[in-house]
Amino acid sequence: MSGVSPSTGVLAARIGLEAAIRAALDGEAVDIYAGFLGVPETTDWVALGEANADIDPANVSSRRQLDERITLAVNVGAWVAGNDDDTARAAWDRAFALLDLIQRYVRTGDNTTLGDAVLWCLPGSFDADGDAYSGGFQVEIAATFICSHRVRT
């Protein structure tokens, strides 16, 4: 059954989200990292970050079955050369376009299970900020994806 395993689904969800990001951004000129590795090779990047799970003890059944809420962090960034308002707008547009491609992919059809790793995964919260950086403008979005997984012995 999709999204059910005898132990935590955090690692499987993280692997599934990375695969979904790669599929969503196929054909885009963007660096994709399993973890942020420093300076990107292109001007756009996506990097997986923190992963955690919360378990509500009230939902533990007599069979010791429980539900996990998994939160996966993703950093999306874009840098555009220049020093004017159009440059800043272009960086904001590109960062949000990348996030939109990922979110649309994850929300579509069977993709919400991240390859059967979870019961469902949907976009969560995000924070975005931009600033002048190294002869251009850089925008970074710290986004989360929320997943549900069932641990069943």
Side-chain angles (χ1 to χ4, degrees):
M1 178 183 242
S2 165
V4 179
S5 70
S7 63
T8 183
V10 172
L11 183 57
R14 195 171 192 281
I15 291 167
L17 182 57
E18 181 184 352
I21 290 168
R22 290 184 184 283
L25 300 179
D26 186 42
E28 295 288 328
V30 59
D31 293 323
I32 301 171
Y33 300 111
F36 199 70
L37 300 173
V39 179
E41 294 179 20
T42 68
T43 58
D44 303 323
W45 66 92
V46 176
L48 277 83
E50 181 180 358
N52 63 61
D54 291 317
I55 297 168
D56 183 358
N59 291 333
V60 177
S61 72
S62 60
R63 293 179 169 170
R64 295 187 185 114
Q65 174 176 298
L66 51 96
D67 291 333
E68 287 184 307
R69 178 182 165 155
I70 299 169
T71 304
L72 302 171
V74 175
N75 179 279
V76 178
W79 179 87
V80 175
N83 191 20
D84 58 16
D85 280 347
D86 289 339
T87 301
R89 280 188 209 97
W92 280 97
D93 288 349
R94 179 62 173 160
F96 273 93
L98 292 171
L99 179 62
D100 184 58
L101 287 170
I102 297 165
Q103 288 181 337
R104 286 176 187 260
Y105 184 88
V106 170
R107 287 192 315 256
T108 304
D110 292 338
N111 299 334
T112 60
T113 67
L114 302 179
D116 291 338
V118 295
L119 297 171
W120 53 262
C121 181
L122 294 171
S125 63
F126 69 87
D127 291 309
D129 197 9
D131 204 354
Y133 177 76
S134 190
F137 197 86
Q138 178 173 297
V139 173
E140 288 191 74
I141 303 171
T144 62
F145 287 80
I146 309 300
C147 308
S148 178
H149 175 261
R150 181 161 295 140
V151 177
R152 182 181 296 160
T153 56

